Amino acid sequence: MSRRHLPYRRPLLATFAAFAVLAGTAAAAPAVPAAPPITPLVATPPATLDDTYYQDALGKTGTQLKSALHSIISVQTKISYSQVWDALKNTDQDPANSSNVILLYTGRSEPKSDNGGAVGQWNREHVWAKSHGDFGTSTGPGTDIHHLRPEDVTVNSIRGNKDFDNGGTAVSGAAGNYTDSDSFEPRDAVKGDVARMILYMAVRYEGDDAFADLEPNDRVDNGSAPNIGRLSVLKQWSQEDPPDSFEERRNDVIFDRYQHNRNPFIDHPEWVEAIW
């Protein structure tokens, strides 16, 4: 029944009395403070980063640029391996569903709560395989969320510690991914992401902090050596798949809320070619 019919169903005097009671109640009720607004993450403009964060690297190339970037990004807050779970639930949040994360290789949107080690769940994928340099899950390269991503447990196992290269047979349950005995090719949408994570690790970990000097090379089947390839393919992937909004947001979240350092190859993709 519409509000315009109400006066015809009660005496006019009673209506006025009801309004008076409601008005008095409203006047006596204490004011409820408004909830504080949720502040969204605001990306730092590249020009601001160049004026502050990257100022010591600008204008350099080759080994000088690599050394300058190493000094910049080595200043970071380190988190434990158990803290990585909660960090990934933020860094890799599905833009279309805040209750989910996006898995790196499959691209599947998976509930944040469905993390663990069972088939069908997601776990923590070390993009720079932890056996390449034998750093395990030690605080440092083993917990650096710039190269840790959520991934389907089974697909993570299929990738294992393989190097990256083109080719192979299709990975079951992960369309667009391919693998063979010694290499793994991710889907096209994250090829550049993988390349930039690998190259970040090569700049961040130079052997001066009790961990191995991590370096890319142009081979596969690197085993336990602190190397990952194939560099020429990774460079190609970085060019073909430039940073997108998901990758840029991820870099900002890590910088603002967790490690307080950045992946310079997301902010400056051209630095890949300037160094390698």
Side-chain angles (χ1 to χ4, degrees):
M1 180 179 296
S2 68
R3 292 182 61 88
R4 71 179 62 182
H5 293 148
L6 289 178
Y8 298 98
R9 292 183 55 88
R10 66 180 65 179
L12 188 59
L13 183 59
T15 304
F16 287 158
F19 287 158
V21 170
L22 290 174
T25 302
V32 178
I38 298 174
T39 304
L41 181 70
V42 178
T44 307
T48 301
L49 291 170
D50 287 352
D51 289 341
T52 55
Y53 191 70
Y54 291 123
Q55 59 181 332
D56 292 337
L58 300 179
K60 297 176 180 177
T61 59
T63 57
Q64 288 186 332
L65 175 58
K66 189 168 184 264
S67 178
L69 291 175
H70 171 70
S71 296
I72 293 168
I73 67 177
S74 294
V75 179
Q76 71 178 99
T77 298
K78 297 181 175 121
I79 66 174
S80 69
Y81 197 47
S82 62
Q83 290 173 318
V84 168
W85 285 120
D86 287 334
L88 295 184
K89 292 174 184 179
N90 192 347
T91 59
D92 292 73
Q93 179 174 290
D94 183 349
N97 184 347
S98 62
S99 296
N100 288 14
V101 291
I102 297 294
L103 307 188
L104 176 64
Y105 301 132
T106 65
R108 189 173 80 235
S109 180
E110 190 76 11
K112 292 178 179 179
S113 59
D114 197 20
N115 61 302
V119 173
Q121 292 186 310
W122 66 269
N123 60 4
R124 297 159 290 187
E125 153 74 336
H126 288 79
V127 176
W128 186 294
K130 54 185 182 288
S131 64
H132 289 234
D134 194 29
F135 52 76
T137 58
S138 300
T139 300
T143 65
D144 194 317
I145 50 178
H146 275 295
H147 85 115
L148 279 158
R149 301 291 291 267
E151 187 46 61
D152 176 86
V153 168
T154 301
V155 177
N156 193 349
S157 179
I158 291 172
R159 187 265 157 142
N161 69 346
K162 296 174 183 176
D163 294 82
F164 292 102
D165 199 359
N166 290 314
T169 58
V171 175
S172 177
N177 297 265
Y178 301 88
T179 192
D180 56 25
S181 62
D182 55 19
S183 69
F184 189 89
E185 177 185 350
R187 60 192 177 101
D188 290 347
V190 296
K191 278 184 165 73
D193 306 50
V194 166
R196 287 180 284 274
M197 285 186 280
I198 292 295
L199 299 178
Y200 159 86
M201 294 291 283
V203 171
R204 169 60 186 88
Y205 299 99
E206 293 279 43
D208 55 1
D209 51 4
F211 295 105
D213 179 6
L214 306 182
E215 294 295 338
N217 61 14
D218 209 35
R219 53 168 293 179
V220 294
D221 200 17
N222 277 293
S224 61
N227 306 106
I228 278 188
R230 184 177 303 264
L231 178 58
S232 58
V233 173
L234 293 170
K235 288 172 60 178
Q236 177 187 354
W237 289 354
S238 183
Q239 290 180 342
E240 292 176 349
D241 173 36
D244 59 18
S245 59
F246 186 92
E247 192 179 0
E248 290 167 347
R249 177 193 177 274
R250 191 173 197 279
N251 200 23
D252 288 333
V253 171
I254 294 173
F255 179 60
D256 290 342
R257 301 179 182 174
Y258 295 100
Q259 294 184 181
H260 310 298
N261 71 339
R262 301 185 69 84
N263 182 332
F265 304 110
I266 296 174
D267 298 320
H268 282 278
E270 72 277 9
W271 282 346
V272 172
E273 192 65 37
I275 294 175
W276 288 283

